[in-house]
Amino acid sequence: MSQSIDLINLDTLAQELATIQQTGSKRIALLGSRHVPITHQNLIEMMTYALVLSGNRVITSGATGTNSAAIKGAMRADPNLLTVILPQSLERQPQESRQQLEQVMHLVENPSNDSLSLAEASYLCNKEIVSRCQQLICFAFHDSRTLLQTCGDAEEQRKVVTLFYFD
């Protein structure tokens, strides 16, 4: 039993090292809280801009705050390298998000989740986003249950996870 655990840890370490050392483009998921100060949003936007300029593909969702900042940065750098996956249909998104989302070339809606609560739909959406990425960068608070659960799921799938806390 100990030997299998050691192999899993070694495999995980090797995969993370390969992802970190990869010089080509990566598929990076960027997720985070809606409740983000404007200064943090500016930093997230600049980071996303730099990631996309470096040739990375960014995958995010359509909420305000972190995700909106990521969309802005990616759109400025190269809109073709951005994919936005919505937890529900575009019509269910807040009005302040729709104008920005209508400009996104690669927009995936999930109208089958319209009958779910936003929390349930967001969790399913985050699972889909994580399944499409190699690395997850997440901005959360210590009580952001859905985001922290998403980070745990990503780690279980042996994705490289970088988690920043706002508090």
Side-chain angles (χ1 to χ4, degrees), residues 143-159:
D143 63 353
S144 301
R145 274 183 265 143
T146 300
L147 291 170
L148 296 177
Q149 187 174 5
T150 298
C151 290
D153 292 347
E155 287 172 343
E156 286 177 11
Q157 295 176 39
R158 298 187 179 149
K159 309 285 180 164

Side-chain angles (χ1 to χ4, degrees), residues 32-33 35-37 40-41 44 66 139-142 164-167:
S33 177
H35 312 289
V36 182
H40 290 76
Q41 289 181 40
I44 293 165
T66 300
F139 297 87
F141 293 93
H142 282 88
F164 294 98
Y165 287 102
F166 289 120
D167 55 357

